[in-house]
Amino acid sequence: QLVYPHDFRLTEKEKTSICYLSFPDSYSGGLGDTQFSFRLRQAGGSRNSPFQDDGRYNREAPVTLQREAAHYFGYVYFRQVKDSSMRRGYFQKSLVLVSRLPYVNLFQCLLQLIAPEYFDKLEPCLEAVCNEIDQWPPPVPGQTLNLPVMGVVIQVRIPSRVDKPGSSPAKQCNQENLLPAPLVLPSVHELDLFRCFQPVLIHIQMLWELMLLGEPMVVMAPSPTMSSEMVLALTSCLAPLRYCCDFRPYFTIHDSEFKEYTTRTQAPPNIVVGVTNPFFIKTLQHWPHILRVGELRMSGDLPKQVKVKKLAKLKTLDTKPGIYTSYKTFLHKDKTLIKRLLKGIQRKRPSEVQSALLRRHLLELTQSFIIPLEHYMASLMPLQRAITPWKNPPQIRPFCQEDFMKSLEHAGPQLTCVLKGDWLGLYRRFFKSPNFDGWFRQRHREMTQKLEALHLEAICEADIVAWMKDKSEVEIVDLVLKLREKLVRARCQHLPVKEETLQRVGLYIDTIIGSLPEDLQTVLHH
């Protein structure tokens, strides 16, 4: 019906997809308001985002919170109430916030403030809200922002790449003595993991492995809220490692990728997809891992846990909750975690405390797995003394899986993790996954940039005049052109180089040009 701001361009295909993804796909008898989220592939090539920030945000934000380049997130507030004046006897409407940022908490909180007002007052309400949001500062990693909207100030800290993983965000204090006191969000993006994972707590280990390996997985849930929360919880459980596969927190049969995912002529893609329509049980039953969750049921004090079942048991009509898979975990179960969580339930420990326990466990697991890879990768970096000013910097040595496997004997995950099991098998399988590829490319890019930066510093330390003594004009001009190119690249790629180093290289170039005959000076200055 309406897009705000009016000048935001969506293709027809995107508009259709957003419409389908903004409503529950299967009959939901529940009246009232529900919130959920989806993720949508951008149609028709990349478009410039209206917010140009030269990539600074993505360089400073944790990799798990970077701005998406080819996908949009949709955050939905759906209302369904009886209304006899409507043809169907119901008022059904959704307000959707579309963003490239995965700030699920911030945007769902914002919708809770805006949507009820919007359903009442319609367009003028959105216009007023957008005018306020236009005045918000950009999200700068590491900063705490105060965001005024509709008489409330939302206060939130934007996480930064330099935050220590697992540390709770510094307690935000209302320093400016804002009146009224701000609505403080503990996190822009972290879900209540304990609540999301309640029916699968005893299988957390298996789910972590499936996510780490980028295995294709379907989450079937009774509602878009449950499906989207479970998918987002699953993809977040590798932090600080980025989940590099595709994921759809909520997916419908009308989606343009429906055929791509349901075809049986090729293996299912590396994706976690959340669905609610029972029809999917039939169309996706060839997928290797299907997690079916029902409405949460308690057995005594404890949430009822789903069982692992064989894929052959997947019934098309009445599928019972369970994890349908033939996957065998590489690592043994962590019984102590489960005991601590169960004790927490019995003692009625708050959900956020249980979530913190769960998050710390997953973080330690991921770190135990990734630290040996980081150590091995660092050993591939050339020695600093091999970097000389007048030669191109040496290459990073190639990653050899067998060498890495040998390094595990004395520096493997067993040093930091009590879990026993087939760690080597897990690494071998990980090497075939998009998550390894994404991690390796990013590390390699960072190391290459570090080499470039060290090379520039080596040039700064060098005695350029002594070098020039026995060189021909051709060699000197060649050096000027190469240095210029390095300087441009350092600025464009925002290499980790001090500004004074860049200025000194600039001065060097001027000094060298100054020593050349005038006709060459003129050419080089142009």
Side-chain angles (χ1 to χ4, degrees):
Q1 277 184 347
L2 177 65
V3 176
Y4 235 92
H6 293 308
D7 56 2
F8 185 67
R9 290 276 159 265
L10 287 166
T11 65
E12 285 311 307
K13 190 176 173 186
E14 285 166 347
K15 281 183 186 166
T16 308
S17 294
I18 288 171
C19 289
Y20 280 125
L21 288 164
S22 302
F23 290 90
D25 182 19
S26 46
Y27 169 72
S28 88
L31 291 176
D33 296 356
T34 48
Q35 288 182 263
F36 56 93
S37 45
F38 61 80
R39 183 167 172 270
L40 166 79
R41 189 185 292 172
Q42 186 175 295
S46 67
R47 265 158 288 167
N48 283 342
S49 138
F51 312 104
Q52 295 307 335
D53 75 342
D54 78 11
R56 178 185 166 189
Y57 172 81
N58 274 6
R59 283 194 308 278
E60 295 180 4
V63 286
T64 49
L65 287 184
Q66 286 174 331
R67 190 178 267 131
E68 289 264 2
H71 290 84
Y72 291 121
F73 288 100
Y75 302 96
V76 183
Y77 191 106
F78 168 67
R79 171 169 287 184
Q80 174 169 292
V81 286
K82 278 194 170 143
D83 182 344
S84 51
S85 68
M86 297 280 182
R87 196 160 53 93
R88 290 177 162 187
Y90 284 102
F91 169 92
Q92 289 176 310
K93 213 171 221 176
S94 281
L95 182 63
V96 186
L97 189 150
V98 178
S99 171
R100 293 181 185 280
L101 292 167
Y103 292 172
V104 57
N105 288 353
L106 173 61
F107 294 140
Q108 290 292 18
C109 166
L110 187 59
L111 282 173
Q112 282 169 14
L113 296 170
I114 303 169
E117 198 71 5
Y118 163 70
F119 293 138
D120 197 25
K121 302 196 170 91
L122 301 180
E123 191 167 351
C125 157
L126 281 195
E127 190 173 359
V129 162
C130 286
N131 286 337
E132 287 190 286
I133 293 175
D134 270 347
Q135 308 302 312
W136 286 6
V140 177
Q143 286 193 3
T144 296
L145 305 181
N146 291 312
L147 310 172
V149 62
M150 294 181 58
V152 177
V153 174
I154 303 173
Q155 191 176 82
V156 73
R157 181 180 180 277
I158 307 296
S160 156
R161 197 171 287 196
V162 296
D163 296 345
K164 205 166 134 264
S167 60
S168 61
K171 282 280 176 277
Q172 295 153 356
C173 40
N174 177 12
Q175 289 153 335
E176 293 101 280
N177 292 329
L178 299 171
L179 287 171
L183 173 60
V184 179
L185 295 187
S187 159
V188 270
H189 68 292
E190 284 182 349
L191 294 163
D192 183 341
L193 273 195
F194 176 70
R195 189 174 52 78
C196 298
F197 283 148
Q198 276 198 97
V200 292
L201 290 172
I202 60 172
H203 307 298
I204 237 51
Q205 195 84 25
M206 175 192 269
L207 294 169
W208 175 83
E209 284 187 23
L210 291 173
M211 290 299 107
L212 181 73
L213 301 174
E215 286 285 312
M217 184 167 182
V218 187
V219 172
M220 295 185 172
S223 69
T225 309
M226 282 181 80
S227 100
S228 59
E229 285 195 336
M230 181 62 90
V231 171
L232 291 176
L234 286 167
T235 55
S236 75
C237 72
L238 297 182
L241 189 66
R242 183 185 188 150
Y243 177 76
C244 296
C245 308
D246 201 352
F247 59 99
R248 300 298 153 96
Y250 173 53
F251 188 76
T252 76
I253 52 177
H254 306 288
D255 205 286
S256 54
E257 280 120 51
F258 178 72
K259 278 202 178 68
E260 192 183 317
Y261 295 163
T262 51
T263 174
R264 294 179 179 230
T265 53
Q266 59 204 63
N270 300 90
I271 178 173
V272 183
V273 57
V275 301
T276 59
N277 192 327
F279 178 69
F280 277 108
I281 295 175
K282 193 173 171 143
T283 54
L284 297 178
Q285 64 188 15
H286 61 295
W287 278 44
H289 318 286
I290 295 175
L291 167 58
R292 175 86 163 103
V293 286
E295 294 292 353
L296 186 67
R297 289 212 293 277
M298 303 301 281
S299 56
D301 282 348
L302 309 178
K304 194 165 169 41
Q305 298 296 292
V306 304
K307 293 188 170 72
V308 175
K309 303 181 180 188
K310 291 195 172 62
L311 276 159
K313 291 257 176 79
L314 195 65
K315 298 244 190 351
T316 319
L317 285 170
D318 178 32
T319 302
K320 300 222 163 10
I323 300 178
Y324 293 83
T325 179
S326 55
Y327 180 80
K328 296 280 175 279
T329 56
F330 287 91
L331 306 180
H332 305 322
K333 242 182 211 169
D334 185 352
K335 301 247 171 65
T336 51
L337 170 78
I338 294 158
K339 280 182 187 147
R340 288 173 75 185
L341 290 170
L342 291 180
K343 191 181 277 181
I345 295 172
Q346 283 153 350
R347 292 183 174 171
K348 304 211 174 357
R349 206 183 277 147
S351 190
E352 57 267 28
V353 178
Q354 296 276 67
S355 281
L357 262 176
L358 203 45
R359 194 169 272 111
R360 188 173 331 120
H361 169 78
L362 291 166
L363 171 72
E364 285 167 3
L365 199 50
T366 302
Q367 283 180 325
S368 295
F369 183 81
I370 222 74
I371 285 169
L373 280 162
E374 299 274 8
H375 281 191
Y376 174 70
M377 194 76 185
S379 75
L380 304 177
M381 188 81 163
L383 295 172
Q384 200 149 346
R385 64 168 180 267
I387 300 168
T388 55
W390 316 122
K391 283 195 188 129
N392 279 334
Q395 296 287 303
I396 297 164
R397 290 199 304 285
F399 189 106
C400 169
Q401 293 183 11
E402 288 314 309
D403 286 354
F404 167 71
M405 292 304 214
K406 284 186 198 122
S407 77
L408 292 176
E409 288 165 24
H410 51 86
Q414 69 279 7
L415 299 181
T416 50
C417 189
V418 294
L419 282 189
K420 299 281 183 280
D422 180 10
W423 286 94
L424 296 183
L426 188 59
Y427 281 114
R428 281 191 206 286
R429 187 92 170 253
F430 177 67
F431 289 141
K432 299 189 182 99
S433 83
N435 289 328
F436 170 70
D437 190 54
W439 171 84
F440 176 75
R441 280 165 193 256
Q442 194 206 332
R443 279 288 170 270
H444 201 275
R445 191 167 54 244
E446 287 168 2
M447 286 164 74
T448 308
Q449 291 185 341
K450 179 80 177 139
L451 270 178
E452 281 275 324
L454 289 169
H455 193 220
L456 276 171
E457 280 165 21
I459 291 168
C460 270
E461 303 299 317
D463 182 349
I464 213 139
V465 181
W467 179 85
M468 280 164 50
K469 274 198 182 118
D470 57 345
K471 298 294 181 287
S472 68
E473 279 175 8
V474 174
E475 287 173 297
I476 291 172
V477 170
D478 187 48
L479 176 72
V480 168
L481 297 175
K482 274 189 177 152
L483 285 180
R484 264 197 186 151
E485 191 194 338
K486 274 189 165 300
L487 210 50
V488 169
R489 204 165 49 229
R491 292 209 183 279
C492 289
Q493 294 182 355
H494 301 274
L495 294 185
V497 188
K498 294 190 193 85
E499 182 56 37
E500 60 189 283
T501 304
L502 297 179
Q503 285 172 356
R504 276 175 71 182
V505 173
L507 281 171
Y508 268 16
I509 294 172
D510 293 341
T511 311
I512 302 168
I513 293 175
S515 71
L516 292 166
E518 275 188 20
D519 55 339
L520 276 177
Q521 286 193 32
T522 315
V523 173
L524 287 169
H525 277 311
H526 289 296

